[in-house]
Amino acid sequence: MNPSVTLDEEWPGHQSVVDYKKNQKLRKVLAHLYTEGTCTLAHLTKVLHSSVPSVTNLVEELIDSKWVTTLGMATGSNGRRPVLFGLNTKHNYVAVLDVSTHDTKILFMNTQREVIFRGDYDLRLNDNPAFLTSLVSYFTDALTDSRLSPTDLIAVGISMPGLIDARRGLNLTYKNLSQTGESVTDWFSMQVGYPVYLINDTKATVLGESRFGGAKGKKQVLAINIDWGVGLGIIVNGEVFQGASGFAGELGHVQVDPDGELCYCGKIGCLNTVTSASALVKRVQRDILTGQVSKLAAFYDKVEQIDIDEIISAAHKGDSYAIDILHETGFQLGKGLAVAISLFNPEIIIVDGVLTKAAAFILNTIEQAISKYCLSDFRNDLTIELTQLNGTAKWLGTHAYMMEDIFANY
């Protein structure tokens, strides 16, 4: 599926000019209602540069196809109040499958991005075909549990870490997901009976921030996703920067320690080995076993129970070891970001991922490292913010990735 949405594509020869222009306007109506929520016919006439009768016919067609519905009356009008129109939230649901090396979340969302069902599952991304088979099973169960009519679901979007080739539907980091090397999206679609989209988790995050979060309206943005791995989402001139193969933003695989640990990618000393949540947990577990003085030493006989939440909790309780290790994580992240700032000159950096819960301990050291390793002129117009989307940016981005493509091909 094409990750970019172009509403003004070239005119296909098999359509008449009239049909082409009409479909183009229908797409614009859907795209506008998706981003703006509601609007009146009068407003749509300005958006489309069309007459009221023409726009009325378009909206009626979208109502008949269950894409649009009336949502009451507008407020603040002195005369007869105009009718508000918006996307129909009772039809055209999509599924978002949020896959990570830690767990899997399955959500069903309506056209206005509201979550109508969520299931959390102990299913971790593994590089073997059994993972996809399990994912299909969990998806089928979740659809049943959601009590949605299967006919009301129109698409499935899967976000996951790794080098995602969206054009071919492949994850080149996890090459054994499909037994025969077949497209992940094609195989999954055959199993579930819906169109399937595949997107890198960090690109989904930055798309969500760009459409609905702190990056909305911004042209040059970096979004760092500090999760079980470290990824960098990049917005250039208002659009997600993909790179030649769709792999741009793998900040977690920039080498920061030539004498460091082996990364799962096969390289030595990647930023992931120093700053990801999984690396942080492994380091703390190892230190506790070697006698590190800390509140976390209470887990000495059960270090496998130390997780990222326990580490952050210890830091909030004043544990100096936990605070120090989080400070060091933030500083290393800042060093990596300093390189990205020098390359892309962003106006804003948005910090997202599971480590945002440790913001009190990592944000200042991120900024200190940027100040130390980045030219001062790059910092003059730069702000660094925590996400305001409370962990939903990835889901919103996956939703937008699907819906924008669906609208573009309406």
Side-chain angles (χ1 to χ4, degrees):
M1 299 294 179
N2 190 343
S4 63
V5 176
T6 304
L7 296 177
D8 298 315
E9 71 281 0
E10 294 182 6
W11 168 48
H14 64 273
Q15 278 188 313
S16 70
V17 175
V18 173
D19 286 342
Y20 167 70
K21 289 184 176 179
K22 174 188 168 185
N23 289 337
Q24 198 176 39
K25 289 179 179 179
L26 288 169
R27 295 173 194 137
K28 287 184 177 180
V29 171
L30 290 171
H32 186 77
L33 292 176
Y34 181 68
T35 56
E36 300 302 323
T38 61
C39 68
T40 63
L41 282 177
H43 181 73
L44 283 174
T45 61
K46 296 177 181 178
V47 172
L48 300 177
H49 306 291
S50 296
S51 65
V52 171
S54 174
V55 173
T56 300
N57 289 335
L58 293 172
V59 170
E60 287 177 350
E61 181 174 331
L62 291 171
I63 289 174
D64 290 341
S65 62
K66 298 182 179 180
W67 270 107
V68 171
T69 189
T70 56
L71 295 172
M73 301 290 185
T75 58
S77 177
N78 292 327
R80 181 180 175 183
R81 293 188 298 166
V83 176
L84 283 173
F85 295 91
L87 292 180
N88 190 336
T89 59
K90 303 299 182 183
H91 297 275
N92 302 311
Y93 298 95
V94 297
V96 172
L97 280 56
D98 175 11
V99 173
S100 76
T101 57
H102 184 69
D103 62 6
T104 293
K105 299 176 180 66
I106 298 177
L107 306 97
F108 294 95
M109 303 172 72
N110 64 23
T111 52
Q112 284 298 343
R113 304 173 294 282
E114 297 168 324
V115 176
I116 55 112
F117 175 86
R118 170 179 169 176
D120 293 44
Y121 307 97
D122 185 22
L123 178 64
R124 305 183 181 199
L125 178 59
N126 285 305
D127 192 18
N128 61 69
F131 171 79
L132 282 186
T133 301
S134 297
L135 188 60
V136 168
S137 177
Y138 279 111
F139 166 80
T140 303
D141 291 345
L143 181 56
T144 301
D145 293 342
S146 73
R147 297 185 179 180
L148 283 177
S149 168
T151 58
D152 279 336
L153 191 68
I154 60 171
V156 176
I158 304 173
S159 73
M160 61 171 61
L163 299 178
I164 301 297
D165 184 338
R167 291 170 295 184
R168 294 189 293 160
L170 297 173
N171 188 330
L172 301 184
T173 302
Y174 297 88
K175 296 182 179 180
N176 298 312
L177 288 176
S178 176
Q179 211 160 20
T180 61
E182 182 182 6
S183 162
V184 170
T185 51
D186 288 348
W187 184 89
F188 206 91
S189 181
M190 286 179 62
Q191 306 307 309
V192 301
Y194 300 103
V196 175
Y197 295 73
L198 182 65
I199 185 172
N200 171 269
D201 56 350
T202 300
K203 286 188 174 59
T205 298
V206 76
L207 183 59
E209 292 288 353
S210 176
R211 296 296 189 264
F212 313 110
K216 187 175 183 179
K218 305 291 186 182
K219 295 294 185 181
Q220 316 297 332
V221 180
L222 297 179
I224 186 164
N225 186 27
I226 319 167
D227 217 75
W228 303 103
V230 177
L232 185 71
I234 305 162
I235 299 288
V236 176
N237 297 328
E239 295 298 330
V240 177
F241 181 66
Q242 302 285 347
S245 304
F247 307 151
E250 288 293 329
L251 186 69
H253 294 292
V254 172
Q255 189 185 66
V256 295
D257 184 2
D259 299 316
E261 297 181 13
L262 177 68
C263 181
Y264 65 84
C265 73
K267 309 299 183 184
I268 300 293
C270 292
L271 187 63
N272 268 340
T273 66
V274 179
T275 60
S276 68
S278 55
L280 191 60
V281 169
K282 289 177 183 176
R283 192 180 321 135
V284 170
Q285 291 174 342
R286 185 171 61 242
D287 288 352
I288 293 302
L289 287 176
T290 57
Q292 175 64 50
V293 177
S294 166
K295 292 180 184 293
L296 294 166
F299 291 93
Y300 181 84
D301 293 323
K302 46 186 176 180
V303 290
E304 70 281 353
Q305 294 184 18
I306 297 177
D307 58 19
I308 195 65
D309 291 328
E310 291 289 352
I311 297 169
I312 295 171
S313 175
H316 280 295
K317 292 175 182 176
D319 184 77
S320 59
Y321 166 71
I323 292 171
D324 287 345
I325 203 166
L326 288 171
H327 278 174
E328 176 61 20
T329 297
F331 194 79
Q332 292 296 335
L333 283 167
K335 285 176 67 176
L337 277 173
V339 175
I341 291 168
S342 298
L343 291 173
F344 293 102
N345 188 22
E347 56 191 299
I348 185 172
I349 295 175
I350 297 175
V351 181
D352 204 345
V354 295
L355 279 184
T356 55
K357 292 181 283 187
F361 308 104
I362 66 170
L363 206 55
N364 284 341
T365 51
I366 287 175
E367 293 178 346
Q368 288 168 11
I370 289 173
S371 295
K372 182 175 181 178
Y373 293 104
C374 194
L375 293 173
S376 59
D377 290 335
F378 281 86
R379 304 195 309 271
N380 291 340
D381 298 316
L382 174 65
T383 57
I384 302 173
E385 297 180 3
L386 285 177
T387 179
Q388 300 300 311
L389 294 179
N390 299 317
T392 65
K394 191 193 311 180
W395 307 338
L396 294 173
T398 306
H399 190 280
Y401 183 70
M402 289 186 281
M403 297 303 289
E404 291 177 2
D405 186 75
I406 290 167
F407 295 155
N409 291 285
Y410 182 81

